Amino acid sequence: MGLTMALGQILGASVGSHLAIKNGAKFIRPVFLAVVFLTITRLIYNQISPAG
């Protein structure tokens, strides 16, 4: 399982770095903000939803 996760990290980092170099800040900023927004939303949902 760890090897699969490592390969996913390597693949994601490679794709992400190529996109960042190709598209620059105009691409990175909206993606970053979307990830932050989704993370905050998930944390809020986990706090207010019943366990189970």
Side-chain angles (χ1 to χ4, degrees), residues 23-46:
N23 299 321
K26 289 184 179 182
F27 172 75
I28 295 172
R29 187 177 315 251
V31 171
F32 177 75
L33 291 175
V35 170
V36 169
F37 174 75
L38 291 172
T39 302
I40 291 170
T41 304
R42 180 175 176 257
L43 289 171
I44 291 170
Y45 176 77
N46 286 342

Side-chain angles (χ1 to χ4, degrees), residues 10-24:
I10 291 168
L11 180 64
S14 178
V15 170
S17 64
H18 286 293
L19 285 172
I21 290 169
K22 182 179 177 183
N23 299 321

Side-chain angles (χ1 to χ4, degrees), residues 1-12:
M1 183 168 24
L3 184 58
T4 304
M5 292 174 66
L7 290 173
Q9 282 289 102
I10 291 168
L11 180 64

